[in-house]
Amino acid sequence: MKIFTKEVKIALAAIVAIVAVYLLINFLKGVNVFKSSNTYYVSFANIQGLAVSNAVYANGYPVGTVRSIDYDYAKNDGVIVGIDLNDNVRLPRGTHAELEVSLMGDIKMNLILGKNVADNVEQGDTIQGGMYQGAMDAAANLVPVVAQMLPKMDSILTNLTRLSSDPALQQTLANAAKMSGDLATLSANLAQVSNSELPRIAANLNAISQNMNTFSGKLASTDVDATMQNLQGTITQMSQLTGELNGTVKQLNTKINGTDNTLGLMLNDRGLYDNLNRTANSADSLLTDLRLRPKRYVHFSIFGKKDK
């Protein structure tokens, strides 16, 4: 009895064809049925057109594919996406997924890995997913803020226009321009003065420095001890001279205040003072009478007559 009959061959060929078709379909989907993988699930509120067999990336490198997409009937909200990852990939606790829409409309799932590599998510567990906030999303979020700022910007532009047309501002700008020109001229003059005067000043400083060095050399060569001794002797002589002058002054005071000498009698005798005073008064009266009646004292008459 033959084992591989015509019917058995037809059945085997059908089985092989089914397996080949299954492998071809999975290959086209990007699923490698001969490679071991780990299955995880991601919960999304909206998948934005994600499809089965889309690639899953981690740090920009493809590490798996989307295996299944099912509606979350348990919560009646959101979508559960099954992903097959490379057998060597481990998801640290805190990992989440993001869906990124490219400019061409393609959907890409990125895994944002957690930091604690020692604590990993178990196979079959569910992680959270969401949409990637790109530049366009950020710009869309800014639209309401920009809409609120437009009236204020219009008011600011109106005020700026009114301010720019103010003659006072134009005058201020003109004054500022003139001041800037004056400062430039002053800077140029200072630079010219510096270039012409600095060499002369430097030469003067060098001359002063040389004179100081010469004076310092002479001072170093001077016999300071002998000079100090001469100065001390001079001071001693001045002290002696001062003492002699003090003694002379005391003697003079004694003579002036005493009554045993002519100078003392003249300065201290009250009677002499009174007599001198009376004599001065009499002389003054005589001079006054002589000025008023000169003929009484001097007679120049030719006939010899004398006035009484």
Side-chain angles (χ1 to χ4, degrees):
M1 182 176 178
K2 294 182 178 180
I3 299 177
F4 294 100
T5 61
K6 185 178 181 179
E7 291 78 6
V8 173
K9 291 180 180 180
I10 293 173
L12 291 175
I15 293 172
V16 171
I18 293 172
V19 171
V21 171
Y22 173 77
L23 294 176
L24 179 61
I25 292 174
N26 283 281
F27 176 77
L28 294 176
K29 291 182 178 180
V31 178
N32 189 353
V33 296
F34 299 105
K35 187 175 182 180
S36 60
S37 60
N38 299 326
T39 302
Y40 299 90
Y41 296 95
V42 185
S43 176
F44 288 99
N46 191 337
I47 60 174
Q48 294 289 334
L50 183 69
V52 176
S53 75
N54 280 32
V56 179
Y57 296 86
N59 297 329
Y61 183 81
V63 295
T65 57
V66 176
R67 180 176 182 179
S68 62
I69 300 177
D70 297 306
Y71 188 75
D72 191 359
Y73 293 99
K75 296 181 180 179
N76 199 24
D77 183 23
V79 180
I80 301 297
V81 178
I83 57 176
D84 286 341
L85 302 180
N86 190 293
D87 187 53
N88 296 323
V89 176
R90 297 291 182 270
L91 299 182
R93 190 75 61 182
T95 300
H96 65 280
E98 291 182 348
L99 295 180
E100 182 178 356
V101 182
S102 66
L103 295 177
M104 301 301 295
D106 297 332
I107 305 297
K108 182 174 65 174
M109 183 187 296
N110 295 318
L111 294 176
I112 310 301
L113 303 178
K115 302 300 181 181
N116 188 6
V117 296
D119 186 12
N120 297 319
V121 178
E122 298 293 336
Q123 295 186 37
D125 287 350
T126 302
I127 62 175
Q128 294 297 319
M131 293 299 299
Y132 171 72
Q133 296 293 326
M136 296 300 295
D137 296 326
N141 293 332
L142 288 176
V143 170
V145 179
V146 174
Q148 294 178 359
M149 292 177 60
L150 285 177
K152 298 180 180 179
M153 292 296 296
D154 183 66
S155 177
I156 292 173
L157 290 176
T158 302
N159 293 330
L160 287 177
T161 302
R162 185 172 65 253
L163 180 63
S164 61
S165 61
D166 191 353
L169 179 61
Q170 301 297 330
Q171 184 63 32
T172 301
L173 293 177
N175 294 336
K178 183 177 181 301
M179 185 180 297
S180 178
D182 294 340
L183 288 176
T185 304
L186 178 60
S187 177
N189 293 334
L190 288 176
Q192 184 178 1
V193 171
S194 298
N195 293 332
S196 60
E197 294 296 331
L198 283 179
R200 186 174 62 81
I201 294 174
N204 292 336
L205 290 177
N206 290 331
I208 292 173
S209 177
Q210 293 177 0
N211 294 333
M212 291 296 295
N213 292 332
T214 303
F215 177 74
S216 177
K218 292 181 179 180
L219 184 63
S221 61
T222 302
D223 191 355
V224 179
D225 293 335
T227 302
M228 292 301 296
Q229 290 178 0
N230 294 333
L231 181 60
Q232 185 65 34
T234 302
I235 294 173
T236 302
Q237 293 177 0
M238 290 295 294
S239 298
Q240 293 177 355
L241 180 60
T242 302
E244 293 177 356
L245 287 175
N246 290 333
T248 303
V249 170
K250 289 180 180 180
Q251 292 178 0
L252 182 59
N253 289 332
T254 302
K255 293 294 184 180
I256 291 174
N257 295 325
T259 58
D260 56 347
N261 57 83
T262 305
L263 181 61
L265 289 174
M266 291 180 64
L267 295 177
N268 297 314
D269 189 357
R270 180 67 182 184
L272 178 62
Y273 170 78
D274 293 337
N275 292 331
L276 289 175
N277 192 20
R278 285 194 297 269
T279 302
N281 290 331
S282 299
D284 181 67
S285 299
L286 178 60
L287 290 174
T288 300
D289 188 63
L290 179 63
R291 179 174 57 84
L292 296 176
R293 301 178 181 86
K295 294 181 179 182
R296 178 179 296 179
Y297 301 96
V298 179
H299 179 63
F300 294 98
S301 178
I302 299 176
F303 303 99
K305 187 179 177 178
K306 183 177 181 182
D307 293 336
K308 298 294 182 177

